[in-house]
Amino acid sequence: MTSNLIVGRVIRGKGEGRQIGYPTANLQLTESSFRAPTGIYAVWVFLGDIKYAGVLVSGVEQEASDEPRQEVYLLDFSDDLYEQSLQVEIVQKLRDVIRTTNLEDIKKQIEQDIKATRLLLN
């Protein structure tokens, strides 16, 4: 593993990703965890001994602790992750965060991020 390893426990978020069909795992990071700069990243997500491709969203919203949010969408995964520990390894930054409230634009951008991640990690 590398020094850009994000380590955290999955906690409940606002459920916004689930509402639009892309549920994310919101991470409560450990003290020693790497904190990714704001952006969208192609990542590998380790759940125990199993590795999944994923898209990390970092720094979208400031939480009460003033730490940037780190949340990850696991490609081709549908099980419950609450309270699970995840390790997230950044492979490549895909883009900067684009702020919009238009749900169709958000969905289209997520689809593009997933396609780019599949190309990078396959």
Side-chain angles (χ1 to χ4, degrees):
M1 303 280 174
T2 62
S3 62
N4 68 349
L5 193 64
I6 298 166
V7 181
R9 180 176 57 88
V10 179
I11 59 172
R12 293 204 182 274
K14 295 178 183 176
E16 294 169 339
R18 183 171 310 282
Q19 291 172 2
I20 62 170
Y22 299 99
T24 58
N26 294 276
L27 297 175
Q28 181 179 47
L29 303 185
T30 63
E31 281 188 34
S32 60
S33 177
F34 175 75
R35 276 133 173 95
T38 299
I40 310 300
Y41 299 85
V43 298
W44 288 116
V45 181
F46 298 89
L47 176 60
D49 294 335
I50 303 172
K51 177 170 84 169
Y52 298 92
V55 177
L56 175 75
V57 180
S58 180
V60 173
E61 182 175 294
Q62 296 295 321
E63 297 178 7
S65 66
D66 254 1
E67 289 295 327
R69 174 180 287 184
Q70 308 278 303
E71 57 184 292
V72 63
Y73 173 73
L74 282 69
L75 280 60
D76 307 314
F77 185 89
S78 61
D79 290 339
D80 184 353
L81 288 171
Y82 290 119
E83 301 302 320
Q84 297 286 328
S85 292
L86 300 181
Q87 295 181 343
V88 179
E89 183 179 16
I90 294 174
V91 176
Q92 183 175 316
K93 184 173 182 179
L94 298 174
R95 63 177 176 86
D96 291 330
V97 172
I98 300 168
R99 298 191 189 276
T100 180
T101 56
N102 182 306
L103 284 182
E104 287 308 311
D105 289 346
I106 293 170
K107 287 179 184 180
K108 285 178 188 173
Q109 188 60 61
I110 291 170
E111 290 167 10
Q112 290 175 3
D113 296 337
I114 291 169
K115 184 177 180 181
T117 296
R118 286 191 195 282
L119 288 172
L120 274 169
L121 300 183
N122 285 335

